[in-house]
Amino acid sequence: MPSVPSVTAESYARLTAAYPGLTVTELTPGAPAPRGGGWVAAADLAAGGAALDAFLAWDDAQVLRDYGQRARPDVTASFGLHRYAWPACLLITVPWFLHRRVPRYPVTHVSYDRTGDGMRLAVRPPSSFACLPGDPAAALPGARVVPDEEALRAEVRAAVAEHHEPVLAGFGPRTRRRGRALWGMVTDEIVEGLWYVAHLLGDGEQVRARHELELLLPGATQPYVGSAAFREPTGPDGESPPVPEGPGSGPQPTRVRASCCMFYTVRPEDTCATCPRTCDADRIGRLTAAAAG
């Protein structure tokens, strides 16, 4: 009988094949979590002590190296939280999106390293996972069979919240943000992480991801803030942005983030297309340029 980690192994293999900048290692039962080098346990980040200090020192050095100035401490902490939460959400959303399986990862089960050529996650085998009736994995130890897709979406929301609640408690004082603002960041990481990876998977998967995310986060799903918030931007007279002809042409969807990453405090002229500080005129220009490229 396959071991519990195998229920997510194929999902993580596809993730890495599409996005080599992120690898996920499933630890064998009883194997120690990696330590030393750039590795940090998620539980240590949640504790908010010396491990978090060292973690954020990397972000501080990166900003100074790349932009020639230091960011405010709260901005640095926001960068660090984003850089952890983005891949951590994928641990849960990718198996759900690809194979309709939702693992549970408490902070004691995850370690992270982003100091090499890419990001690495090491995860201890989940004690439980949710799946749908008819999934061959439903007979495995730790399987919790839920009746339908909406129940499985509820499992995704619960699993992401379970993992991130202690992490936000550790980062929160450093970011100078509280409940709604912090959960707004997690909402954005859920949506933008899976949307990006689905684009790399190809074969129309980004379109499917948009639909799935709209169902996952329709709004009023606490503790998350708002909805997936996809839309097609329009100009002042309601016009859609022009798009090039050929494969992939058509309306270019975007979204407005529920939170701000605070990058504008480092480089005011270089905000992203989904930033709540970006007006639709600029957003249309960027999407048009991206489509043309």
Side-chain angles (χ1 to χ4, degrees), residues 12-14 86 163-164 281:
Y12 296 150
R14 285 192 63 187
W86 193 89
H163 182 82
H164 282 83

Side-chain angles (χ1 to χ4, degrees), residues 174-264:
R174 311 298 185 93
T175 65
R176 298 176 62 187
R177 304 190 193 196
R178 296 185 179 180
R180 181 178 175 83
L182 291 170
W183 284 108
M185 291 184 69
V186 177
T187 304
D188 289 329
E189 307 309 348
I190 292 172
V191 176
E192 296 193 358
L194 185 60
W195 195 31
Y196 176 75
V197 168
H199 166 70
L200 300 178
L201 291 169
D203 296 328
E205 289 289 70
Q206 193 174 43
V207 174
R208 184 169 75 88
R210 177 182 174 181
H211 174 69
E212 296 282 6
L213 288 163
E214 288 172 335
L215 294 174
L216 178 67
L217 296 169
T221 48
Q222 293 183 348
Y224 305 104
V225 177
S227 67
F230 289 108
R231 65 189 183 87
E232 294 171 13
T234 58
D237 297 320
E239 71 275 14
S240 297
V243 294
E245 297 180 358
S249 64
Q252 300 298 302
T254 186
R255 66 183 299 269
V256 178
R257 290 174 57 91
S259 67
C260 178
C261 71
M262 309 296 284
F263 184 66
Y264 77 93

Side-chain angles (χ1 to χ4, degrees), residues 1-16:
M1 180 177 291
S3 61
V4 169
S6 69
V7 302
T8 50
E10 185 178 351
S11 296
Y12 296 150
R14 285 192 63 187
L15 168 62
T16 299

